[in-house]
Amino acid sequence: MSEVAEQIPITATESPTPNTILDVQQTTCCIVGGGPTGAVLALLMARQGIPVMLLEAHKTFDRDFRGDVVHGGGMELLDQLGLTERLLEQIPHSTAKAIQYIIDGKTIPFVDWSRLKGTRYPYMTIISQVQLIQFLTAEAKRYPNFQLLMGANVQQLIEEDGIIRGVRYRGNAGWHEVRSHLTVGADGRFSQIRKLAGMELIETAAPLDVFWFRLPRHTEEPEGLFVRLGNKRFLVTYNTYDGNWQIGYYILKGQYREIQAAGIEALRQSIVEVVPEFGDRVQHLKSWKQASFLSIKVGRLDRWYRQGLLLIGDAAHVMLPMGGIGINYGIQDAVVAANVLIEPLKHGEVQLNHLAAVQRQRKWQIQLIQELQYFMQRQVSIKALQSGYTFKLPIYWGLPPWRDLIARLLAFGVLPPHVKAEYKKISYNNP
């Protein structure tokens, strides 16, 4: 079982304007953040001949991610780009067709994606995010107008006359500058671009935190996503692409130090109390270094853009981990941004109304799914963890209309976007 390091965002202290800029590069679109959201947007633009630079703060993509889940909606969009067949051939993956609750040993069906109609992907695809990003950026590298810069730690926005004109970043050798018609922040929940732009999340209280870790999975054990409740415990488990169980151990906010003070053995025992079958492997969890702690933060920007700047994905709206929808909604943001911005970028005419159009198409859908996440958290997660509460699922939780609605919203949203037909064409020649 591989160790899971605590996820610490790369941030920058306030830096003075550098005395020496080693080089100044020009591009049409500068995307900051090399996750799936930024990679998909960069690929879409590269395929249309738009000069695009993708900046990633880390030196490699080879690190542990918790979000290794792509729902049907994300897979449909990748399929529209002609990518999924090769993606699934080249990268190990597993699938989960359903979410089931297990309460005190009793299994209760909930979401069943296999019931969804009109999709080639009636399941949740569990795939290495590292390899997914590498695949997407390798595709983008086929186009001469795409450039990927690793180890590019953006520390300043270039602002002239109230317009964002690009970024300054630090690399191994010193300061560099990228000048661009449009800068896109796709740098995740701890977005440095959001901070530098002075844009504040409207946060909603998130009364839960979570430990993430893995335990080995036996081949005969069932696949799927299981929400396991019991003895004032709340665990989420799903089968990974590499033969493990990915486990989210949820706690009430403020219990972090109490849980750690009790020791790793107490954590192991509490896991077995809820999932007795893990008793034969829980010893693989040997230290806190194997458990990544996430202090859950959730919120969204009131405005996603400034003149010359757009934020998308987790940089614009931080989602709850519930349902594993972060990658899905980020890819959808990228597709909408491409649909709206490609033609204006080709003509050098990106205006505020174009950036506003991206937010207008996406913001209400983000707000709706966040409200659904809040509702599910209040109805199940918090109540299951509350002291002295004998938990039972709401009566309507098992009704097929409710279950099917949740399945569709998690997988696709309300009005899933589509890649414009003229942007689906694959050509590796210089357009």
Side-chain angles (χ1 to χ4, degrees):
M1 182 180 64
S2 61
E3 287 197 354
V4 180
E6 183 175 0
Q7 300 297 302
I8 301 173
I10 287 186
T11 58
T13 57
E14 189 135 343
S15 300
T17 301
N19 294 323
T20 303
I21 301 292
L22 298 179
D23 60 73
V24 178
Q25 300 185 68
Q26 300 282 344
T27 190
T28 300
C29 183
C30 175
I31 302 171
V32 181
T37 301
V40 168
L41 180 58
L43 174 59
L44 280 161
M45 290 190 173
R47 284 165 59 141
Q48 292 303 306
I50 294 172
V52 57
M53 294 180 68
L54 181 61
L55 276 57
E56 168 56 39
H58 293 84
K59 294 181 180 180
T60 73
F61 293 123
D62 190 14
R63 58 190 185 276
D64 188 85
F65 292 93
R66 292 175 295 269
D68 287 330
V69 171
V70 183
H71 282 280
M75 295 300 292
E76 290 281 359
L77 291 173
L78 295 177
D79 190 54
Q80 290 169 29
L81 294 174
L83 300 177
T84 51
E85 185 174 341
R86 284 188 294 115
L87 176 72
L88 297 177
E89 283 178 356
Q90 294 178 20
I91 304 178
H93 61 279
S94 60
T95 61
K97 295 182 178 180
I99 298 176
Q100 299 180 74
Y101 283 86
I102 301 178
I103 303 177
D104 294 327
K106 182 181 178 182
T107 300
I108 303 170
F110 184 44
V111 164
D112 186 352
W113 288 294
S114 68
R115 292 167 52 91
L116 293 178
K117 306 298 182 184
T119 177
R120 295 180 60 188
Y121 306 97
Y123 48 78
M124 184 174 75
T125 301
I126 303 157
I127 190 167
S128 164
Q129 189 173 156
V130 171
Q131 294 184 64
L132 172 63
I133 296 168
Q134 289 172 338
F135 177 89
L136 293 170
T137 52
E139 283 295 308
K141 286 177 182 178
R142 296 172 183 252
Y143 299 88
N145 48 296
F146 169 80
Q147 188 175 359
L148 173 64
L149 298 178
M150 302 297 294
N153 189 358
V154 172
Q155 297 196 14
Q156 291 184 350
L157 293 175
I158 301 170
E159 183 173 351
E160 297 172 352
D161 300 322
I163 303 173
I164 303 302
R165 301 290 190 181
V167 301
R168 293 189 184 98
Y169 70 89
R170 276 188 140 167
N172 285 334
W175 284 91
H176 307 261
E177 190 168 291
V178 177
R179 294 255 169 178
S180 59
H181 295 298
L182 176 66
T183 300
V184 178
D187 51 338
R189 63 175 51 232
F190 302 107
S191 173
Q192 179 71 2
I193 297 300
R194 185 175 66 220
K195 175 184 174 183
L196 292 171
M199 303 166 92
E200 295 289 336
L201 281 177
I202 301 171
E203 295 191 31
T204 302
L208 302 179
D209 290 328
V210 61
F211 288 99
W212 289 103
F213 52 91
R214 293 188 178 190
L215 291 175
R217 175 179 169 270
H218 301 326
T219 55
E220 70 275 9
E221 290 178 323
E223 295 184 338
L225 192 154
F226 300 93
V227 181
R228 303 171 185 266
L229 309 173
N231 196 30
K232 302 172 189 174
R233 300 285 186 270
F234 182 94
L235 279 75
V236 173
T237 66
Y238 61 85
N239 53 286
T240 68
Y241 54 89
D242 56 359
N244 290 302
W245 286 112
Q246 178 72 62
I247 301 170
Y249 183 99
Y250 285 80
I251 62 174
L252 293 172
K253 193 168 287 291
Q255 291 185 329
Y256 170 74
R257 296 192 181 280
E258 176 186 340
I259 297 292
Q260 276 212 323
I264 198 73
E265 176 58 31
L267 177 64
R268 290 197 295 255
Q269 290 177 0
S270 72
I271 294 168
V272 175
E273 287 175 4
V274 184
V275 194
E277 58 267 35
F278 285 175
D280 65 351
R281 71 203 85 170
V282 75
Q283 71 277 2
H284 287 270
L285 187 61
K286 299 179 187 296
S287 76
W288 291 108
K289 291 181 180 179
Q290 296 168 262
S292 175
F293 176 72
L294 174 64
S295 179
I296 296 176
K297 178 181 182 180
V298 60
R300 57 182 176 269
L301 292 174
D302 181 60
R303 179 167 165 160
W304 297 14
Y305 59 91
R306 289 177 52 186
Q307 188 74 50
L309 174 69
L310 174 69
L311 271 64
I312 59 174
D314 281 351
H317 46 79
V318 179
M319 314 295 281
L320 288 169
M322 184 176 296
I325 59 175
I327 291 179
N328 235 40
Y329 279 75
I331 291 175
Q332 289 183 345
D333 283 1
V335 168
V336 170
N339 286 346
V340 172
L341 298 173
I342 281 175
E343 291 307 316
L345 280 170
K346 285 181 178 179
H347 298 94
E349 299 175 348
V350 175
Q351 304 294 329
L352 271 180
N353 64 295
H354 297 121
L355 305 179
V358 177
Q359 176 176 336
R360 187 167 56 249
Q361 291 186 40
R362 294 298 296 154
K363 185 177 179 181
W364 69 272
Q365 298 205 52
I366 297 300
Q367 185 171 351
L368 188 148
I369 196 67
Q370 284 184 329
E371 292 297 334
L372 175 64
Q373 286 186 311
Y374 302 150
F375 176 78
M376 295 175 70
Q377 179 180 257
R378 290 192 302 268
Q379 293 298 307
V380 177
S381 310
I382 297 172
K383 290 183 177 180
L385 287 170
Q386 282 177 335
S387 177
Y389 189 90
T390 303
F391 180 73
K392 292 183 180 179
L393 286 172
I395 294 174
Y396 60 85
W397 219 253
L399 297 178
W402 171 252
R403 291 163 49 189
D404 292 348
L405 173 64
I406 300 302
R408 184 158 292 278
L409 288 175
L410 291 178
F412 297 99
V414 182
L415 291 174
H418 300 274
V419 179
K420 283 187 176 180
E422 58 267 36
Y423 302 155
K424 294 180 182 180
K425 182 180 179 182
I426 300 176
S427 172
Y428 298 133
N429 298 321
N430 198 347

